[in-house]
Amino acid sequence: MAESLNSYVIAQRQVEEAANLLGLEPHVTEILKRPRRVLSVSFPVRMDDGRIVVFDGYRSQHNDAMGPGKGGIRFHPQVTVDEVKALSMWMTIKCQVVGLPYGGAKGGVVCDPRTMSQGELERVSRGFIEAIAQIIGPDKDIPAPDVYTNATVMGWMMDTYSRLQGTYSPAVITGKPLSIGGSKGRDEATARGCVLTVLEAMKERGLPVQGASVAVQGFGNAGRTAARLLAEAGMRVVAVSDSSTGVYHDGGLDIAQLERVKDAGSLRGATGVSFITNEELLETPVDVLIPAALENVITAENAGRIRAQIVAEAANGPVTPDADAILFEKGTLVIPDVLANAGGVTVSYFEWVQNLTHSYWSREEVYAKLADIIVPSYHEVSDLAREHGTTMRMGAYMIALRRAADAMKARGWV
Ligand code: NAD
């Protein structure tokens, strides 16, 4: 039977598997398999040509036993309520794996920002926050950027919420511009966290860092920064890609040059490289593969052809559960998304703390604090996975679900 690629089905399957390994009571598992609250909203927005268009959006709050909800807001034409529910569950796992005092949440608006003017984008951003204002707040649920939303959008959203409350409320949202309470280092946080996990994994496997080969799928915020940091660490980044093409150079790509090419358009403009497809990139023989673009790119169909020793999921959900099993069987180490890309939410947490305490940290302080969280979390997950003879993903889920279950018990919910 073909594997379901519905994110919510996948998330529920992962939670159930980890809950069984932990021996959680069935009613505790049932709570964790569903979001606690999902708000569905529709709101009208006047477009530049005078038409009124009604947009649909969702905010899913998975579990708030451990603290307020935390998770991004995605603007995308293919947003579905199931996707938002799954992403909110993964946020609970992610926050708990690295020990942040949050439960998971996620939001989405069905829209295509690529076809909207800045004015339209601003009105959609403000309209969505007005629609969900009652259920968010610095002590309730704190959104952040996700696919096709950025610091500018977060600034508008923070402003709308602050106006509605009549108080300056920077702590309601993270990923803001620095001028209104954003954190230094947030721009590189996801990639930096990912690189820290890769370096720990290489140490564990006894792989030398100098000259080790890497392929990175996706050349956006997460992918290009990870490629740059790994090259700076002495690794040979042989392949990267964006949605238009992959580029390959066995001696190591010039990442700074590719960043300039990308800023001017797409990687198709690169020179002195061989062009490869995104499928070929995934199957390139490298020490480390970093999927940093889309979900479900490594499936049962191509998992057998993945030749990397380490796969670090900078993207959310790039490896399907069936592919996970195949990779585990052949000894490939998959550093799961909930750990490999947790650097982003960790620095979002730092931003919230800075907003609440009205005191701001240097970039160096942020990076040092990030390493203090990510590196021990990596080893906690890796040790538990080894102890149970299971994947790092299951190790991460077990740690997170145990913490969530303990919090629910302490509050008398179960
Ligand atoms: P982004 O929009 O900045 O970059 C995405 C990149 O993927 C772009 O280079 C784009 O060209 C490429 N891409 C799109 N379609 C592709 C395709 N079919 N094949 C190959 N490449 C394709 O996004 P981002 O912020 O870098 O996020 C990438 C992934 O990382 C997403 O899964 C996101 O959820 C995850 N993530 C990001 C953060 C963060 O802080 N940015 C945090 C956690 C997780």
Side-chain angles (χ1 to χ4, degrees):
M1 198 175 70
E3 180 179 20
S4 170
L5 297 183
N6 175 310
S7 314
Y8 190 45
V9 173
I10 290 177
Q12 290 196 317
R13 184 174 155 187
Q14 291 164 335
V15 165
E16 193 156 279
E17 200 179 324
N20 288 341
L21 280 172
L22 274 175
L24 289 186
E25 293 164 278
H27 62 275
V28 176
T29 309
E30 281 312 305
I31 295 174
L32 292 166
K33 275 175 66 182
R34 297 170 172 76
R36 197 162 146 74
R37 176 199 272 171
V38 183
L39 180 64
S40 165
V41 297
S42 298
F43 54 98
V45 173
R46 187 177 294 278
M47 308 307 276
D48 290 349
D49 62 7
R51 281 176 310 132
I52 303 268
V53 175
V54 180
F55 287 88
D56 295 317
Y58 310 99
R59 184 77 186 166
S60 170
Q61 297 170 336
H62 174 243
N63 193 300
D64 59 359
M66 303 72 68
K70 186 92 195 80
I73 295 175
R74 176 172 291 199
F75 283 1
H76 197 276
Q78 265 98 46
V79 162
T80 65
V81 70
D82 271 2
E83 179 188 53
V84 173
K85 282 156 75 172
L87 288 163
S88 72
M89 290 171 74
W90 286 327
M91 284 307 297
T92 295
I93 305 292
K94 199 177 294 186
C95 291
Q96 289 306 304
V97 167
V98 291
L100 305 179
Y102 293 134
K106 200 82 181 192
V109 176
V110 187
C111 66
D112 191 350
R114 291 164 298 187
T115 64
M116 286 153 59
S117 69
Q118 276 293 96
E120 289 169 344
L121 185 63
E122 177 173 352
R123 293 192 290 281
V124 168
S125 304
R126 291 187 184 277
F128 182 56
I129 289 300
E130 266 185 58
I132 66 166
Q134 280 179 6
I135 65 158
I136 61 169
D139 296 315
K140 287 187 192 171
D141 177 1
I142 306 124
D146 193 69
V147 176
Y148 292 143
T149 56
N150 55 23
T152 307
V153 170
M154 297 304 110
W156 294 325
M157 289 180 164
M158 177 279 229
D159 179 71
T160 298
Y161 181 84
S162 293
R163 286 176 191 221
L164 286 169
Q165 300 300 313
T167 52
Y168 181 63
S169 306
V172 68
I173 206 157
T174 59
K176 300 178 294 293
L178 287 176
S179 56
I180 49 171
S183 178
K184 293 200 173 107
R186 177 64 185 86
D187 46 351
E188 289 195 354
T190 302
R192 221 162 246 279
C194 180
V195 167
L196 286 167
T197 64
V198 167
L199 296 178
E200 291 310 303
M202 293 182 78
K203 247 187 259 168
E204 268 190 349
R205 290 232 154 174
L207 290 172
V209 172
Q210 293 305 313
S213 54
V214 193
V216 182
Q217 182 186 49
F219 207 60
N221 176 293
R224 68 195 270 174
T225 314
R228 174 161 39 83
L229 294 174
L230 289 168
E232 279 169 19
M235 289 171 71
R236 199 161 42 92
V237 183
V238 296
V240 301
S241 67
D242 63 9
S243 57
S244 74
T245 188
V247 295
Y248 180 87
H249 188 281
D250 193 46
L253 295 159
D254 179 345
I255 303 301
Q257 188 225 339
L258 290 176
E259 291 204 69
R260 285 192 294 275
V261 168
K262 178 72 186 169
D263 288 340
S266 81
L267 289 177
R268 247 182 307 198
T271 51
V273 299
S274 315
F275 290 95
I276 57 172
T277 64
N278 260 294
E279 291 71 34
E280 286 167 340
L281 177 138
L282 294 171
E283 297 169 19
T284 307
V286 282
D287 296 309
V288 179
L289 172 65
I290 305 190
L294 303 173
E295 57 277 358
N296 301 331
V297 291
I298 302 178
T299 64
E301 193 277 318
N302 63 352
R305 297 195 297 276
I306 301 297
R307 288 185 278 176
Q309 296 205 40
I310 296 170
V311 176
E313 295 184 321
N316 282 312
V319 178
T320 67
D322 283 358
D324 232 0
I326 294 168
L327 293 174
F328 184 63
E329 200 55 37
K330 64 182 198 151
T332 310
L333 177 65
V334 177
I335 310 172
D337 45 10
V338 289
L339 177 65
N341 69 33
V345 70
T346 302
V347 176
S348 271
Y349 161 67
F350 295 162
E351 180 174 333
W352 179 74
V353 169
Q354 291 171 81
N355 294 153
L356 292 174
T357 57
H358 308 282
S359 95
Y360 287 84
W361 311 341
S362 68
R363 194 172 268 271
E364 293 68 36
E365 236 175 313
V366 168
Y367 291 158
K369 286 182 159 74
L370 176 64
D372 283 349
I373 288 185
I374 298 293
V375 173
S377 300
Y378 176 92
H379 289 287
E380 220 177 327
V381 169
S382 173
D383 291 351
L384 191 70
R386 203 170 307 113
E387 198 182 301
H388 285 265
T390 184
T391 59
M392 277 190 81
R393 190 182 318 279
M394 276 305 114
Y397 273 62
M398 286 164 77
I399 288 171
L401 294 183
R402 165 54 57 213
R403 288 179 178 156
D406 286 350
M408 292 196 295
K409 197 161 220 113
R411 292 181 66 158
W413 295 2
V414 292

